[in-house]
Amino acid sequence: MHVWVPASWASCALRRVLIAAACECAQTFALLPTAAGSWFISNEIFRTAGNNTINPPNAADKSDVGDAFTKHYYTTFDTARVNLQTLYQDASLLSFEDDQFMGMQSIMTKLTTLQFQQVQHAAATCDCHPFQSGILIQVVGDLAVDGETTKPLKYVQSFVLMPTAAGSWFICHDIFRLNIG
């Protein structure tokens, strides 16, 4: 099991719990503070290997944005990773396995210096939820690294997209974890 909590709890928190061994499931949920100082679950995505999911009723309006973002992100990651820099800002936070990176420059340094030459993402599922003014996205899929397609690696990646003043979206939070159990 892996639990991730962002460095800043100021306005909201995004936690992710992965139980990857026997049940091959992933759960992402957003916590928001209450006036009394406690927390409540604002959004939750639960996905099993059997592709069971529960989406809130108002999720459909942002699903198109989430699906288009996911296709764009993984196509760019797989073909020209350096071009991902336009999706991150100085306020962006990446958790990649056990390491955290803050800001576009730090995130891009990590993403462009990974230990493999080639990668191909195959997203099996993409769940999108409205989250405050943004979109919470959870992707479950397979990675083929350096041409090894017979034994793909399982992964879960969660994003929080937030709107920009120009009317587009940027990655505010990005959490990546291999499902190794």
Side-chain angles (χ1 to χ4, degrees), residues 8-22:
S8 169
W9 283 77
S11 63
C12 69
L14 175 67
R15 285 189 176 188
R16 189 180 84 196
V17 177
L18 293 180
I19 307 165

Side-chain angles (χ1 to χ4, degrees), residues 8 21 26 40 46 48 52-53 64-67 82-83 87 92 96 106 125 128 130 134 136 150 153:
S8 169
F40 74 95
F46 183 79
T48 66
N52 299 322
T53 188
D64 291 341
V65 172
D67 289 339
V82 70
N83 294 332
L87 299 175
S92 299
F96 191 93
S106 177
T125 63
C128 305
L136 172 64
T150 59
L153 302 170

Side-chain angles (χ1 to χ4, degrees), residues 92-112:
S92 299
L93 177 65
L94 166 68
S95 287
F96 191 93
E97 293 294 325
D98 293 327
D99 299 320
Q100 288 191 351
F101 304 90
M102 183 75 178
M104 186 270 293
Q105 203 65 24
S106 177
I107 292 168
M108 290 310 301
T109 298
K110 174 61 180 176
L111 296 180
T112 57

Side-chain angles (χ1 to χ4, degrees), residues 27-96:
Q27 182 176 16
T28 300
F29 52 94
L31 299 176
L32 295 176
T34 66
S38 61
W39 298 89
F40 74 95
I41 297 175
S42 170
N43 296 80
E44 180 177 11
I45 301 171
F46 183 79
R47 173 70 68 176
T48 66
N51 292 332
N52 299 322
T53 188
I54 299 171
N55 290 311
N58 58 351
D61 58 337
K62 295 196 177 177
S63 287
D64 291 341
V65 172
D67 289 339
F69 162 79
T70 302
K71 289 175 186 156
H72 173 72
Y73 181 88
Y74 291 123
T75 299
T76 304
F77 193 106
D78 295 351
T79 60
R81 205 170 312 150
V82 70
N83 294 332
L84 291 174
Q85 68 186 347
T86 61
L87 299 175
Y88 294 98
Q89 295 186 356
D90 289 338
S92 299
L93 177 65
L94 166 68
S95 287
F96 191 93

Side-chain angles (χ1 to χ4, degrees), residues 125-147:
T125 63
C126 177
D127 298 301
C128 305
H129 281 222
F131 174 72
Q132 294 179 344
S133 60
I135 304 170
L136 172 64
I137 301 170
Q138 178 180 331
V139 180
V140 176
D142 295 328
L143 288 174
V145 178
D146 289 332

